[in-house]
Amino acid sequence: MPILALLLLAGCGSSKVSDPVTIKPAGDASTDAGGESDPLGAVAGTEESTLSTSEPSGDKPITGGIQLPDSGVPAEDDSETQGSEANEGGIVMPDLMMMPDLNDSGELNNDQGQEIVAFADWSSIQSFATSTGKVTVVDLWSLACGPCLKEFPGLVKLNRDHGSDVICVGVSVDYDGRKSRPASSYKDRVITFLKAVDAAFPNFICQTPSEDVYNALDLDSIPAVLVFDQQGKLQKRFVDAGETIGFGYEKDVVPFVEELLKQDAAG
């Protein structure tokens, strides 16, 4: 069975089950088959402070109307040195829409003009999600998780259809704790993906190592979607195990959220 098929059949696990698959960042010199620069090339930077949205040193905003490739993504070099030539292979990205319009700085902003990508530890992200005063949907995902990338556009559609009543939150848990690859080193690739799916809602790059996030939530794998009610109480966990195995936004998450909204409206 092809690697992609296996990835789409199972979630991306923590080390409690198996090591997650990683996408290896391309160096500046890497190109795809068409000769264009690889949009997923990572730029390493310095660690960001909690809830910081400033550019890490050395990071460059991504500009232009690029589209994520629907062929193999370059594999990530696990060594300390970055910028080496990319290896072919890795997971296949899902088909995605064209890039949305960008502001003058090349960042994707929300409706209030605020940059939508912030750095924060898990504790701060959880505090935000439980204090919005609205139904809040938190999607934990990773660039290395095929099923996560496939389902994430469902969160974008949920925001588009119910954004006035529901707060959608994306949380990248790519950071695994390595000093050689701080959370900030994933920023360019995370932003590239978020721009491609037009994710104009709060998004965080988690500064807490992914394994610690899994342990705090008792998760064996991602994707994972947490649904909080208006009072900040966790009402549902969608994980790729147990009664929610094989969950999806259209058939599972959205109907649950809409029922929650109906119950609130009924008083």
Side-chain angles (χ1 to χ4, degrees), residues 15-258:
S15 64
K16 291 188 290 184
V17 179
S18 61
D19 291 335
V21 179
T22 56
I23 297 177
K24 301 188 177 183
D28 292 340
S30 65
T31 58
D32 59 22
E36 297 294 331
S37 297
D38 176 19
L40 294 184
V43 179
T46 56
E47 192 69 53
E48 297 289 335
S49 59
T50 299
L51 291 175
S52 168
T53 59
S54 60
E55 289 284 342
S57 175
D59 278 356
K60 298 179 181 179
I62 300 173
T63 58
I66 62 175
Q67 186 176 17
L68 287 177
D70 55 8
S71 59
V73 176
E76 182 180 357
D77 182 0
D78 217 12
S79 66
E80 296 278 339
T81 304
Q82 300 194 23
S84 58
E85 287 190 9
N87 298 319
E88 294 300 325
I91 67 170
V92 177
M93 298 289 285
D95 290 334
L96 301 172
M97 64 187 71
M98 291 298 291
M99 300 287 265
D101 293 335
L102 309 179
N103 64 17
D104 292 339
S105 67
E107 298 289 355
L108 179 63
N109 289 350
N110 64 13
D111 293 339
Q112 289 74 44
Q114 300 168 324
E115 187 178 346
I116 63 166
V117 178
F119 291 86
D121 57 35
W122 173 246
S123 159
S124 298
I125 296 169
Q126 190 169 34
S127 294
F128 169 78
T130 56
S131 61
T132 65
K134 293 185 177 182
V135 171
T136 301
V137 179
V138 179
D139 188 308
L140 285 88
W141 67 283
S142 166
L143 291 164
C145 175
C148 299
L149 303 181
K150 180 182 178 182
E151 285 296 331
F152 197 88
L155 181 67
V156 176
K157 186 175 187 303
L158 176 62
N159 178 71
R160 187 163 59 241
D161 295 342
H162 298 285
S164 59
D165 302 309
V166 177
I167 302 296
C168 294
V169 181
V171 181
S172 162
V173 291
D174 285 281
Y175 174 57
D176 62 7
R178 284 178 292 171
K179 291 181 179 180
S180 62
R181 206 172 293 281
S184 58
S185 68
Y186 296 95
K187 184 177 182 181
D188 279 358
R189 291 185 295 150
V190 167
I191 289 179
T192 296
F193 176 75
L194 295 176
K195 286 177 180 178
V197 296
D198 200 7
F201 47 78
N203 285 277
F204 295 93
I205 296 177
C206 190
Q207 292 175 307
T208 301
S210 54
E211 187 68 17
D212 294 341
V213 176
Y214 293 146
N215 289 335
L217 294 171
D218 193 24
L219 292 176
D220 287 330
S221 67
I222 53 174
V225 175
L226 312 177
V227 182
F228 299 90
D229 63 17
Q230 292 87 339
Q231 290 72 46
K233 181 180 179 181
L234 180 63
Q235 290 292 332
K236 187 75 173 180
R237 285 164 42 111
F238 291 94
V239 296
D240 200 21
E243 64 175 9
T244 59
I245 190 170
F247 78 89
Y249 271 92
E250 184 176 356
K251 68 185 181 69
D252 299 300
V253 179
V254 173
F256 181 83
V257 169
E258 289 178 339

